[in-house]
Amino acid sequence: MTSSPTGHGPRREHRKSLAAGLLIGMAVMAATDEIVFHQLLGWHHFYDRSTNSVGLLSDGLLHTAELLALVAGFFLSADLRRRGALVGAQRRAGFFLGLGLFQLFDGVVDHKVLRVHQIRYGVDVTPYDWAWNVSGLVLLIVGCALTVRAARRDGTRRPTA
Amino acid sequence: MTRIHVHPGAAVAEWGPVTELCVALAASAAAAVYLLTARRLRRRGDTWPWARDAAFVLGCGAVTWATSARPPGGPFTGHMAQHLVVGMVVPLLLVLARPLTLVLRGLAPGKVRLGLLRAAHAGPVAVLLSPPVAALADIGALWLLYRTGLLAATHENRVLHVLTHTHVLVAGLIFTFSVCQLDPVRRRWSLTARGTAVLVVGAAHSVLAKGLHGAPPPGTAFATHDLRTGAQLMYYGGDLIEIALAVTLAVQWYGATGRAHARRSRHGRGADHAAVAATRSDG
């Protein structure tokens, strides 16, 4: 464990802890989407014929990036933990921010702007869209609240990591 | 392009008994050479983890399986299972076994060893092993295979079929080798460059898989259910390999960062640059 030169114990890295949580949160929400809505419920279609090539490309990039984010988030977390630099509250806040950001991005950009696929087919999709995006917004707000609380708890409004 | 009717079973590569036997013999010979060399290293006192032996033998077994087995499911799904094993699983297993390091350590100093070292450090090899070129060779070949009449043509022509699958294996090996960078080659690439190569190839792979779900390769007529199952196998199978590649890179980073932290705690402050340098060179 590394001690800081000033002798106050290991230096706690706030921003990196938040980033680790953010990466894991986004990837976990993406995995939930893939497992629950694609595989278990079968609501999302694997491939929507109306998707254009831009939608397909962005979907492919995002999907690949999520997998890399999951691995990166866990290893970043492990590195912070072994140095005693992990700030649990920051990572938790980042996790909720990641969940909310991904859910909102998926709901707005993927479903509506790029029309990669819809939430469910053969029904009026409006209530589903509302439920989807509001839940994303709620998660994002929880994440913001946790970030503020984590910053206050440490008494450092401006993290030094 | 005219649609060729494909009989179930005929679409999965008919390798022919001679080719199957050649692949099995070559794989067994490679595994035997690896195991004997590793034994020699251990006897003279070198450390050589058993996991590498296991990876290499598994890789050789998997390539033999892919050429001789008839995977369950429709012809396209079966083809895709073979493709995943030959193009991604086998290369990863073989690269994790660090065959070049083993051979360089095992060979006595002399002409053969020097020649191999020269070849590994040659300019054209460095270009081929650079992540952008390796990525293009890998994904470009796949794109040609599934988005031109090449796949349909391989069903007609056995030589073309064998050549195509050999290319899939070699391109997969080059890509995995360049991204993992476990063996000693001249040019070292940063973690960012190698991570980007994984991202680009992974994205292209999933776009290709989704496209196959909607439209079959030109000139083929697979049953819809078979086509879709094969496309999903490609998509999710690719995910697993991509996670494995990402974990390989992350383990390198974790090790390099750990060593950098250890140095920093020994030498005090000011070693931040060492961490970056270590990630560049080791990881």
Side-chain angles (χ1 to χ4, degrees), chain A residues 34 59 63-64 82-83, chain B residues 210 236 239 242 254 258 261:
Chain A
E34 200 74 42
D59 186 52
H63 179 74
T64 311
R82 75 175 160 184
R83 292 188 278 131
Chain B
K210 285 222 167 166
Y236 293 113
D239 285 0
E242 193 190 304
Y254 192 75
H261 289 317

Side-chain angles (χ1 to χ4, degrees), chain B:
Chain B
M1 179 95 35
T2 51
R3 291 209 147 196
I4 301 155
H5 180 72
V6 177
H7 297 285
V12 184
E14 290 301 328
W15 288 85
V18 179
T19 323
E20 281 175 23
L21 190 68
C22 286
V23 172
L25 283 177
S28 311
V33 168
Y34 187 99
L35 290 177
L36 286 174
T37 314
R39 195 176 71 159
R40 243 179 72 193
L41 287 194
R42 288 197 187 96
R43 281 199 173 163
R44 81 175 184 204
D46 281 24
T47 309
W48 194 263
W50 283 101
R52 294 182 192 166
D53 297 49
F56 199 84
V57 171
L58 264 175
C60 291
V63 81
T64 311
W65 173 84
T67 44
S68 57
R70 300 279 171 273
F76 186 68
T77 311
H79 158 84
M80 200 47 82
Q82 291 182 326
H83 151 90
L84 283 175
V85 170
V86 172
M88 304 204 283
V89 179
V90 170
L92 184 63
L93 286 170
L94 296 185
V95 164
L96 287 178
R98 306 182 193 214
L100 183 62
T101 308
L102 180 91
V103 171
L104 285 176
R105 273 214 227 166
L107 281 173
K111 271 186 185 165
V112 183
R113 192 180 181 282
L114 196 65
L116 190 63
L117 206 57
R118 280 211 182 118
H121 288 182
V125 175
V127 172
L128 194 62
L129 290 178
S130 65
V133 174
L136 192 69
D138 197 29
I139 208 68
L142 274 192
W143 214 274
L144 283 180
L145 180 61
Y146 293 122
R147 281 291 158 245
T148 67
L150 186 58
L151 186 65
T154 61
H155 295 151
E156 305 289 303
N157 186 332
R158 185 176 290 171
V159 176
L160 191 62
H161 173 84
V162 172
L163 280 179
T164 309
H165 273 75
T166 310
H167 182 86
V168 167
L169 173 66
V170 173
L173 271 172
I174 290 175
F175 176 68
T176 315
F177 190 94
S178 96
V179 159
C180 294
Q181 206 168 260
L182 292 166
D183 275 321
V185 284
R186 189 169 67 177
R187 177 84 155 87
R188 314 297 289 176
W189 288 80
S190 71
L191 195 67
T192 316
R194 294 181 290 136
T196 309
V198 174
L199 178 68
V200 170
V201 168
H205 195 265
S206 51
V207 169
L208 197 55
K210 285 222 167 166
L212 283 173
H213 192 270
T220 62
F222 296 105
T224 310
H225 178 72
D226 182 26
L227 185 72
R228 293 189 172 172
T229 314
Q232 294 208 32
L233 182 65
M234 180 177 181
Y235 189 81
Y236 293 113
D239 285 0
L240 292 181
I241 297 298
E242 193 190 304
I243 289 178
L245 283 176
V247 168
T248 309
L249 294 192
V251 166
Q252 292 175 352
W253 173 83
Y254 192 75
T257 320
R259 287 191 290 277
H261 289 317
R263 270 196 298 276
R264 187 163 15 181
S265 61
R266 273 202 304 274
H267 303 304
R269 296 182 83 183
D272 286 64
H273 296 294
V276 178
T279 316
R280 286 260 165 88
S281 63
D282 301 346

Side-chain angles (χ1 to χ4, degrees), chain A residues 95-109:
Chain A
F95 181 73
F96 275 92
L97 282 177
L99 292 178
L101 275 175
F102 182 83
Q103 178 85 342
L104 260 187
F105 181 87
D106 197 34
V108 176
V109 179

